[in-house]
Amino acid sequence: MTNIRKVAELAGVSVATVSRTLKTPDIVSPGTRDRVLAAVEQAGYRPNLMAVQFRSQRTRNLVVLVPTIANTFFARVIGGIQEAAQRRGYGILLCNTLGDERAERAYAGMVSTRQADGLIQLRAYDPFGASSAEARPPMVNACEVLDEAPCPTVKLDNRAAARAVTEHLLSLGHRRIGMIKGPRNSPLTRDRLLGFQDALAAAGLAPDESLWCPGDFTLRSGHRAAGDLLSQSEPPTAIFCENDEMAMGALRRIREAGLRVPEDISVAGFDDIAFASFCDPSLTTIAQPAEDFGRVAVSLLLDVIDERDEAADQHCIMPFELVVRESTGPSA
Amino acid sequence: MTNIRKVAELAGVSVATVSRTLKTPDIVSPGTRDRVLAAVEQAGYRPNLMAVQFRSQRTRNLVVLVPTIANTFFARVIGGIQEAAQRRGYGILLCNTLGDERAERAYAGMVSTRQADGLIQLRAYDPFGASSAEARPPMVNACEVLDEAPCPTVKLDNRAAARAVTEHLLSLGHRRIGMIKGPRNSPLTRDRLLGFQDALAAAGLAPDESLWCPGDFTLRSGHRAAGDLLSQSEPPTAIFCENDEMAMGALRRIREAGLRVPEDISVAGFDDIAFASFCDPSLTTIAQPAEDFGRVAVSLLLDVIDERDEAADQHCIMPFELVVRESTGPSA
DNA sequence: TGCTTTGATGTAACCGGTTACATTTCGTTG
DNA sequence: CAACGAAATGTAACCGGTTACATCAAAGCA
């Protein structure tokens, strides 16, 4: 193991001079500098970053808690996080939590124990629980955010987006609109449901809970829920799914029932994942700037870490766009 | 910052006793142990893992280089890596390289500089280049592997799998079979092409390079390549795509051309991603144990890190399975 | 010449654990 | 009671950088 002392010996200088040559070359005389750099080269010296981190009490790593990496939307968010972090010289420690709060708390401990400088949580759960405000490690909550988040947040106006989708369906003449929801207890699902109801109320329609089906954001759950809706005595003429995976599951189930989309029934999704524009029929959905969620989250987190106070309580609302494709059409 | 010295003072013992109480409680007398644990509790002490890692020269982190996290197959592999690493007490530092060799070498440097104990590379590129055999940091190459990998590997017998798909198409009577390939220079693509040719040769058919289209594993490239194949004067009656994303892009393009799958043309994919069984028509494909790739890679890597020599040169071949669904049918 | 200033470099403390070795305590046995 | 061994605990070196402070030489100035 070549360390700084070996290099110092090789160059005939002190360890301080070696350190200075690498960190602040301008305060070292040119002659010494060259000798040190030659010694570094000769010894194949790479500073031991563990020592550097230990000394500076900074790891330049960020923990990212993701409910499930298999979800393509989260994959895009992570891509954005990774890119932004890399550009700022940070690495990301990825933790696939599968929504397990015990695992999330364990991973959050990596910040408390100095294995990472901060944490990005993509789910509505605070892994630091009742830590006193003083002791709270740097954290940012993105995508699915807590209502009273104790940290900066990055989210979509899910209520407005869901309302926009619903209004689109209403404008096509649909009056019986089914909904395939996400997991209960999720603020995200609650907000999308509220936006859905907002639109119905504005159109003078009474909410009909028999048309709301639970789901869990997977293809399979969308498939099953669509089956439940179709088997009702008076099935809906349109289905709003809280994400694209469930919408694609629903498309499949509808086809299996011998019905056509959108002629017999319309389907709308949420997220605009890559598959949304390639499936059959292509999906009407809400496009979100997934990568930007990640980039903004990193930016806010580094502000907190560096104690740039202006960021202490920032809450970003990201823009969305209704993308109308083939899966929605006039009510039969 | 509460550190071990504060706790020692609080408990009225030496730092060594505190350390021993936490690491090897059995060699500390019960009375002292209780006093120390009470002090730990009272001080809210959490050991600074940076210091522990620094001292032990182990970070218990693994770097994972993934070409693109947006690919659902890799997402599954990463899920397996994450799960296995977590179970063994390791964290994973995820690096989305987008195939950029400069970025890969930079990330690989995290191992050389002791920010991580080892590296899993999911692409056929050796980021440590010409490092002498002695100095090579622990590494495992999985999924797309180098031909002469200087480390343990985990891969599929891509040639045999491609041959199985092709034989399936041949058995349905197809004689003009198109192929949508992955990126050139990829051993994975080369092997799948070889398997494809093996099957054709065994059936007494001459290879026809005009039916081979380049792609890059994205939906879009499959879409474009399928367009190229369909516009030929004598289009193929079946298309074998080197992954499911491209196959789904092809499905879309074929539908846009007013043709039906599998009545007019058959399509086969590779990977069996979640969407493969939900798209329309569902995809005939090769199922791979994606999560197992990750688990095995972690296991081999930890063997190398812990210098269990038996693993030094292991090359695992993972099993595959041909899954026949709706997208392939008899030749017209 | 003598004194101060500036620039370059060296010395050693420090970060917070771990652990080899030294020391103390205590029980056991002749 | 002395002597010994085992168990419990303390002391301090150590990991590999960083950096405050000390030191020293050379230059500037009266």
Side-chain angles (χ1 to χ4, degrees):
Chain A
M1 198 59 240
T2 77
N3 58 25
I4 200 171
R5 282 161 237 273
K6 289 244 183 59
V7 175
E9 198 180 338
L10 211 57
V13 299
S14 71
V15 293
T17 301
V18 176
S19 179
R20 283 190 280 254
T21 303
L22 297 174
K23 297 213 18 158
T24 49
D26 40 311
I27 66 164
V28 177
S29 75
T32 314
R33 200 188 307 160
D34 293 346
R35 237 168 346 119
V36 171
L37 291 178
V40 165
E41 186 72 21
Q42 189 191 332
Y45 172 66
R46 306 279 311 263
N48 180 329
L49 286 191
M50 274 166 71
V52 176
Q53 293 172 354
F54 171 51
R55 185 66 235 255
S56 61
Q57 298 290 8
R58 276 277 198 108
T59 59
R60 299 189 83 81
N61 284 332
L62 306 177
V63 167
V64 177
L65 302 184
V66 49
T68 162
I69 195 183
N71 180 301
T72 51
F73 175 71
F74 284 127
R76 285 179 59 199
V77 176
I78 293 168
I81 291 176
Q82 157 80 42
E83 180 217 306
Q86 179 184 349
R87 204 178 29 218
R88 312 271 222 114
Y90 278 76
I92 77 161
L93 282 157
L94 188 76
C95 307
N96 202 25
T97 65
L98 305 176
D100 176 7
E101 301 188 353
R102 220 158 52 85
E104 293 184 313
R105 284 196 300 273
Y107 283 123
M110 298 177 84
V111 183
S112 307
T113 59
R114 310 302 176 115
Q115 291 212 91
D117 299 340
L119 178 145
I120 295 175
Q121 162 68 299
L122 302 183
R123 205 172 75 90
Y125 173 70
D126 177 6
F128 296 116
S131 310
S132 68
E134 284 314 303
R136 284 197 69 80
M139 163 175 169
V140 165
N141 187 194
C143 295
E144 184 190 84
V145 316
L146 290 157
D147 291 324
E148 310 266 331
C151 62
T153 63
V154 190
K155 60 179 244 184
L156 203 74
D157 185 343
N158 284 292
R159 187 166 181 170
R163 178 170 183 158
V165 172
T166 312
E167 285 171 345
H168 163 67
L169 294 173
L170 288 168
S171 75
L172 289 168
H174 295 283
R175 288 299 174 267
R176 275 186 77 71
I177 305 177
M179 174 140 195
I180 302 182
K181 301 185 295 177
R184 18 349 7 265
N185 305 329
S186 154
L188 193 143
T189 283
R190 182 204 54 206
D191 291 346
R192 291 184 188 172
L193 188 57
L194 284 174
F196 176 67
Q197 292 176 285
D198 287 348
L200 294 185
L205 295 172
D208 180 353
E209 294 200 21
S210 69
L211 295 176
W212 304 352
C213 285
D216 62 6
F217 290 147
T218 62
L219 285 159
R220 188 166 306 281
S221 76
H223 186 263
R224 186 180 27 68
D228 292 347
L229 287 171
L230 293 180
S231 66
Q232 295 195 4
S233 56
E234 197 184 347
T237 64
I239 303 178
F240 170 26
C241 305
E242 283 195 13
N243 80 344
D244 288 346
E245 264 95 341
M246 293 195 297
M248 290 180 67
L251 287 183
R252 171 93 201 165
R253 186 64 186 73
I254 292 166
R255 193 178 333 114
E256 286 169 0
L259 298 172
R260 291 159 307 159
V261 175
E263 292 81 357
D264 299 317
I265 185 166
S266 286
V267 172
F270 206 109
D271 287 350
D272 194 26
I273 64 178
F275 293 98
S277 50
F278 284 90
C279 62
D280 177 32
S282 58
L283 263 186
T284 290
T285 190
I286 292 285
Q288 300 189 55
E291 287 82 4
D292 287 336
F293 273 78
R295 295 191 192 106
V296 171
V298 168
S299 173
L300 289 175
L301 183 56
L302 294 188
D303 283 349
V304 176
I305 290 172
D306 295 336
E307 294 176 330
R308 282 188 286 276
D309 303 305
E310 77 274 17
D313 204 51
Q314 256 190 270
H315 300 281
C316 291
I317 305 291
M318 305 297 283
F320 63 83
E321 189 186 353
L322 175 68
V323 180
V324 177
R325 296 206 184 90
E326 303 162 350
S327 68
T328 50
S331 171
Chain B
M1 200 58 238
T2 75
N3 57 24
I4 201 171
R5 281 160 238 271
K6 288 245 184 57
V7 174
E9 196 181 339
L10 210 58
V13 299
S14 72
V15 293
T17 301
V18 176
S19 180
R20 282 191 280 253
T21 303
L22 298 174
K23 296 211 20 155
T24 49
D26 40 309
I27 66 163
V28 177
S29 75
T32 315
R33 198 188 311 160
D34 294 346
R35 240 169 343 119
V36 171
L37 291 178
V40 164
E41 185 74 21
Q42 189 191 330
Y45 173 66
R46 307 277 312 263
N48 181 329
L49 286 191
M50 273 166 70
V52 175
Q53 293 172 353
F54 171 50
R55 184 66 234 252
S56 60
Q57 298 291 11
R58 277 280 198 105
T59 59
R60 299 187 85 79
N61 285 332
L62 307 177
V63 167
V64 177
L65 301 184
V66 48
T68 161
I69 195 186
N71 180 302
T72 53
F73 175 72
F74 284 128
R76 284 179 61 199
V77 175
I78 293 169
I81 291 176
Q82 157 81 40
E83 179 216 307
Q86 179 185 350
R87 205 178 29 220
R88 311 274 221 110
Y90 278 76
I92 78 159
L93 282 157
L94 187 78
C95 306
N96 201 26
T97 64
L98 304 176
D100 175 7
E101 300 188 352
R102 220 157 50 86
E104 291 183 315
R105 284 195 301 272
Y107 283 124
M110 299 176 83
V111 183
S112 308
T113 59
R114 309 304 177 115
Q115 289 212 92
D117 299 340
L119 178 145
I120 295 175
Q121 163 67 300
L122 302 184
R123 205 172 75 89
Y125 172 70
D126 177 6
F128 296 115
S131 310
S132 68
E134 285 311 305
R136 283 197 69 83
M139 163 174 167
V140 166
N141 188 193
C143 296
E144 184 191 83
V145 317
L146 289 157
D147 291 324
E148 309 268 331
C151 61
T153 62
V154 190
K155 60 178 243 183
L156 203 75
D157 186 342
N158 284 292
R159 186 167 182 167
R163 177 170 184 157
V165 173
T166 312
E167 284 171 345
H168 163 66
L169 294 172
L170 288 168
S171 75
L172 289 168
H174 295 282
R175 287 299 174 268
R176 276 185 77 71
I177 305 177
M179 173 139 196
I180 301 182
K181 300 187 295 179
R184 47 265 76 251
N185 305 328
S186 155
L188 193 143
T189 283
R190 182 204 54 206
D191 290 347
R192 291 183 188 171
L193 188 57
L194 284 173
F196 176 67
Q197 292 176 287
D198 287 347
L200 293 185
L205 295 172
D208 180 351
E209 294 201 22
S210 68
L211 295 176
W212 303 353
C213 286
D216 62 5
F217 289 148
T218 61
L219 285 158
R220 190 166 305 279
S221 76
H223 185 264
R224 186 179 28 68
D228 292 348
L229 287 172
L230 293 181
S231 65
Q232 296 196 5
S233 57
E234 198 183 347
T237 64
I239 303 178
F240 170 27
C241 305
E242 282 194 16
N243 81 343
D244 288 347
E245 265 96 342
M246 293 195 296
M248 289 180 68
L251 286 183
R252 171 92 203 168
R253 186 65 186 74
I254 291 166
R255 193 178 333 113
E256 286 169 0
L259 298 172
R260 292 158 307 158
V261 176
E263 292 82 356
D264 299 317
I265 185 166
S266 286
V267 172
F270 205 111
D271 286 350
D272 194 27
I273 63 178
F275 293 98
S277 51
F278 284 90
C279 62
D280 177 30
S282 59
L283 264 184
T284 289
T285 190
I286 292 286
Q288 299 189 56
E291 287 82 5
D292 287 337
F293 272 78
R295 294 190 192 104
V296 171
V298 167
S299 173
L300 289 176
L301 183 56
L302 293 187
D303 283 349
V304 176
I305 289 173
D306 295 337
E307 294 175 330
R308 283 189 285 276
D309 302 305
E310 77 273 19
D313 205 52
Q314 257 191 270
H315 300 280
C316 291
I317 304 290
M318 306 296 285
F320 63 84
E321 189 188 352
L322 175 67
V323 181
V324 177
R325 296 208 184 91
E326 302 162 350
S327 68
T328 50
S331 172

